[in-house]
Amino acid sequence: MAVLRTMKLKERLAISLGATLVLLTLLLIVDVQMDFGVANRHLLQQHSKLRFGSSSNNNNNNEYDAAASGGRVVGGGMLHEFKRKFLQKSNSSGSKEASTQATGSQSGGVAGGMPSGGAADAVASPTLSTRKPTPHDRYADLQKVMISGDYTHVIVDSSPDLTQDNPTMAAMLHKTLRANASNLERFQLRITKKELYGEHDTLVDAVIRDMIKLPIQHVAQKEGGTQLKLIIEYPHDIKALMKPMRFPRDQQTLPNHFYFTDYERHNAEIAAFHLDRILGFRRAMPVAGRTLNITTEIYQLADENLLKTFFVSPSLNLCFHGKCSYYCDTSHAICGNPDLLEGSFAAFLPSFESSNRKERKLWRHPWRRSYHKRKKAQWETDANYCSMVRDIPPYDEGRRLLDLMDMSVFDFLTGNMDRHHYETFKVYGNETFPLHLDHGRGFGRPFHDELSILAPVLQCCLIRKSTLVKLLEFHNGPKPLSQLMRESLSYDPISPVLWEPHLEALDRRTGIILQSIRDCIKRNPPGETEGSDADLSS
Ligand SMILES: Nc1ncnc2c1ncn2[C@@H]1O[C@H](COP(=O)(O)OP(=O)(O)OP(=O)(O)O)[C@@H](O)[C@H]1O
Ligand SMILES: [Mn+2]
């Protein structure tokens, strides 16, 4: 201070000017850095086209990061993780959305060998390249356990024997094939008790080709369900169930949407059919994508009720909204772009019965969610839920419980949380497969793995051997599931059907299921388990 006081006014002014300049320079540097940060984040978001809720997306990315980098689940594995997140929470715990938010390396962890790279990786972990690569875990222990046959209470060998007691729909309903029957009718009559179509059935392609190529003759809205669906009629009585496109492929489930208010995605329906076929289930009807002219192929062919909901938007595009309980109003209309509209077309299920007898039986899914924003379902709070289900028909014998395990694997892979009911063909009684219907809410969150969808498998500690064999094949090669899907989907007219991060998610989730089965094997040594005497042989 003394030195300062002895300075002249000029000198003091010069020093303070200098100091101000240094400060300003510093501020400028900090500002430029911040600008870069924002710009980078902006770029990243643009790259992944994350349009909503960047903060939750960041969370999800971390989660993806942990799983992709081979983070191991510690202390009790997947079931522990599941219990910690669901069973130990009370009903008053607020948000109903069952979420497996990232908690460090515990999130959805998979032991080793997860494929990395690609767009999602770039978003999730720009530093991944500096990490030590983890060796590929081939799950040799699971393969050994399968061969040993010591764990038949967990891994059940009951792939349906297609050569025995497997009548076709034609045989059951005493129908003979008309000479001029359409491909769809042939397909429907060839449905059997154990699957919708055979592994090498060429009719699948023929049915798909018809839905893509044949001229459309009539369009009406399908009653029932919560969201807009159209019944498309072609010549020769061929029909398809159409779900129109609402969003681009890279639009993710809105962060504040529950599974039951999520929009349906047409491309999820297409991808789910391909996945079901690749998994070898063959319980989903063929679905294909097609681009329509909204004026000539919908408006001009629409039935009276649908016609009433058409209008011209301010940008002069033709739009319609239909009538339904969710998103059927002017602000959620489906519009041509400018005149084109993409949709998914599912081959129609058979309706051979002449009277109004229902063809299919509707079952409440035992692991149904509450469909309420503040309530939990019983399975979410009761750790012994599965042992109760095992005692109730039709889950107490035969194939049904194993089919639900397959469905859980299937839904976990796609991220579909909307499995409230399922249907079976009435003519076949209980010893038949559950149809895989309604997958419009899958493929919504590629950076999030929803462990609660695996609850049936985790709580019952049960999986069909043929399904486990498939999963191991996807994991160990020659081709990962993402590649098989990419190839299969490339034949669809609206390819690319899936945004790349969804394909990568399939490989990551395959690993998570395998890890869950490993955990479950450890928890259930032979001779100590409940349900080991259950009759699951079919
Ligand atoms: N390929 C098909 N052919 C004929 N009918 C079908 C087909 N797929 C589904 N359905 C019937 O239409 C109903 C509604 O279909 P879907 O479940 O896909 O629509 P949704 O609007 O998502 O229904 P929800 O809101 O009840 O989940 C199904 O329950 C089923 O009975
Ligand atoms: Mn639905």
Side-chain angles (χ1 to χ4, degrees):
M1 283 307 269
V3 182
L4 259 182
R5 240 179 273 138
T6 56
M7 280 182 185
K8 287 189 187 142
L9 185 67
K10 252 192 198 168
E11 286 166 330
R12 278 194 230 169
L13 270 174
I15 288 173
S16 42
L17 194 74
T20 319
L21 271 173
V22 170
L23 251 167
L24 275 174
T25 317
L26 271 171
L27 273 173
L28 201 71
I29 291 171
V30 170
D31 194 41
V32 166
Q33 276 185 345
M34 296 242 296
D35 243 20
F36 262 126
V38 172
N40 272 343
R41 217 178 308 149
H42 180 67
L43 272 180
L44 284 179
Q45 286 201 2
Q46 268 208 333
H47 176 54
S48 59
K49 304 242 176 69
L50 307 177
R51 292 189 185 168
F52 293 87
S54 62
S55 66
S56 81
N57 286 324
N58 287 344
N59 273 347
N60 294 344
N61 290 346
N62 291 340
E63 191 172 341
Y64 175 84
D65 188 17
S69 63
R72 249 169 220 281
V73 166
V74 287
M78 296 298 171
L79 185 74
H80 172 81
E81 188 72 0
F82 170 76
K83 280 185 180 166
R84 195 177 63 76
K85 283 176 179 153
F86 301 99
L87 299 181
Q88 286 160 15
K89 273 187 195 156
S90 74
N91 250 353
S92 57
S93 64
S95 166
K96 170 70 200 65
E97 188 181 23
S99 138
T100 53
Q101 289 298 312
T103 47
S105 67
Q106 287 202 4
S107 71
V110 182
M114 296 312 296
S116 58
D121 248 358
V123 176
S125 57
T127 55
L128 202 64
S129 56
T130 60
R131 293 215 184 98
K132 225 169 62 185
T134 33
H136 181 78
D137 180 348
R138 295 185 61 85
Y139 287 92
D141 50 341
L142 286 187
Q143 313 206 38
K144 234 193 251 163
V145 156
M146 260 194 304
I147 295 164
S148 80
D150 291 339
Y151 284 83
T152 49
H153 54 291
V154 176
I155 303 166
V156 182
D157 190 358
S158 95
S159 27
D161 178 358
L162 302 171
T163 60
Q164 275 192 6
D165 182 31
N166 193 25
T168 61
M169 207 52 110
M172 295 302 289
L173 302 174
H174 310 290
K175 293 253 175 205
T176 44
L177 199 64
R178 293 183 295 125
N180 60 348
S182 68
N183 288 322
L184 179 61
E185 194 178 341
R186 285 167 201 270
F187 179 96
Q188 291 172 338
L189 286 170
R190 260 168 40 185
I191 291 173
T192 67
K193 187 177 175 181
K194 299 187 181 173
E195 55 184 19
L196 278 176
Y197 54 92
E199 191 177 355
H200 306 289
D201 197 337
T202 51
L203 264 180
V204 178
D205 284 342
V207 163
I208 287 180
R209 218 176 310 123
D210 284 352
M211 290 192 295
I212 295 168
K213 294 259 160 72
L214 288 180
I216 294 169
Q217 291 189 325
H218 189 254
V219 180
Q221 203 188 318
K222 168 130 175 56
E223 304 294 320
T226 49
Q227 295 197 31
L228 181 80
K229 294 169 294 295
L230 301 176
I231 296 178
I232 305 287
E233 289 179 28
Y234 304 89
H236 314 296
D237 258 345
I238 297 175
K239 284 187 199 162
L241 189 68
M242 183 214 182
K243 292 196 179 179
M245 166 166 162
R246 284 189 179 273
F247 300 110
R249 309 279 191 277
D250 49 12
Q251 166 98 51
Q252 298 174 58
T253 299
L254 300 180
N256 292 322
H257 269 199
F258 288 103
Y259 48 89
F260 52 86
T261 55
D262 190 15
Y263 298 109
E264 304 244 325
R265 282 167 288 274
H266 71 307
N267 60 325
E269 293 281 0
I270 304 168
F273 155 67
H274 287 256
L275 181 65
D276 169 87
R277 181 168 61 173
I278 290 170
L279 279 160
F281 295 150
R282 297 186 285 277
R283 296 168 204 159
M285 285 299 272
V287 187
R290 175 170 175 172
T291 306
L292 299 183
N293 179 307
I294 195 170
T295 309
T296 58
E297 294 180 293
I298 303 186
Y299 177 72
Q300 290 175 3
L301 310 170
D303 88 328
E304 209 183 317
N305 287 331
L306 183 61
L307 215 49
K308 284 183 199 152
T309 75
F310 272 82
F311 63 95
V312 176
S313 76
S315 51
L316 303 181
N317 289 327
L318 188 57
C319 307
F320 68 100
H321 55 68
K323 274 193 183 144
C324 62
S325 41
Y326 285 164
Y327 312 121
C328 281
D329 52 48
T330 316
S331 55
H332 297 95
I334 288 149
C335 298
N337 181 24
D339 215 20
L340 298 181
L341 175 66
E342 225 178 74
S344 67
F345 294 71
F348 231 63
L349 287 161
S351 62
F352 293 120
E353 310 262 1
S354 44
S355 63
N356 43 9
R357 254 189 63 200
K358 283 249 163 38
E359 221 114 347
R360 300 182 301 274
K361 187 171 162 80
L362 189 68
W363 304 78
R364 210 186 135 92
H365 197 297
W367 277 268
R368 181 187 197 270
R369 288 171 198 277
S370 73
Y371 287 78
H372 185 286
K373 56 183 172 289
R374 281 182 297 271
K375 283 186 190 149
K376 276 183 186 283
Q378 196 189 337
W379 62 266
E380 289 177 275
T381 52
D382 178 359
N384 292 320
Y385 187 73
C386 182
S387 48
M388 187 194 76
V389 176
R390 280 181 193 269
D391 286 337
I392 303 169
Y395 310 105
D396 58 342
E397 59 173 10
R399 59 177 288 170
R400 189 64 60 83
L401 190 60
L402 284 166
D403 286 339
L404 289 194
M405 301 300 127
D406 282 346
M407 209 187 265
S408 159
V409 164
F410 178 58
D411 287 340
F412 177 69
L413 288 171
T414 69
N416 177 22
M417 299 170 76
D418 188 30
R419 195 62 82 180
H420 40 98
H421 290 84
Y422 63 88
E423 299 178 28
T424 57
F425 290 117
K426 262 191 185 157
V427 275
Y428 292 128
N430 283 357
E431 258 317 277
T432 185
F433 63 94
L435 281 156
H436 289 175
L437 295 178
D438 190 12
H439 307 117
R441 290 193 175 123
F443 297 103
R445 301 181 69 187
F447 306 112
H448 170 84
D449 304 320
E450 185 53 58
L451 214 49
S452 67
I453 306 173
L454 261 192
V457 173
L458 294 170
Q459 294 185 337
C460 298
C461 188
L462 186 69
I463 191 162
R464 184 175 260 139
K465 186 177 168 186
S466 49
T467 306
L468 182 58
V469 168
K470 280 269 177 205
L471 293 170
L472 282 165
E473 223 174 85
F474 300 150
H475 184 74
N476 291 329
K479 280 186 189 171
L481 180 54
S482 58
Q483 186 54 22
L484 292 167
M485 280 289 280
R486 206 175 279 118
E487 286 171 16
S488 185
L489 290 171
S490 72
Y491 297 102
D492 193 274
I494 64 156
S495 163
V497 174
L498 283 182
W499 187 33
E500 198 55 29
H502 289 297
L503 291 166
E504 286 156 18
L506 290 173
D507 295 333
R508 187 177 73 236
R509 291 170 191 160
T510 299
I512 293 175
I513 303 167
L514 291 174
Q515 181 62 41
S516 307
I517 302 299
R518 174 183 277 163
D519 294 343
C520 149
I521 290 281
K522 281 192 199 128
R523 282 197 321 269
N524 287 276
E528 279 182 30
T529 36
E530 64 329 340
S532 54
D533 53 354
D535 172 20
L536 289 160
S537 53
S538 109

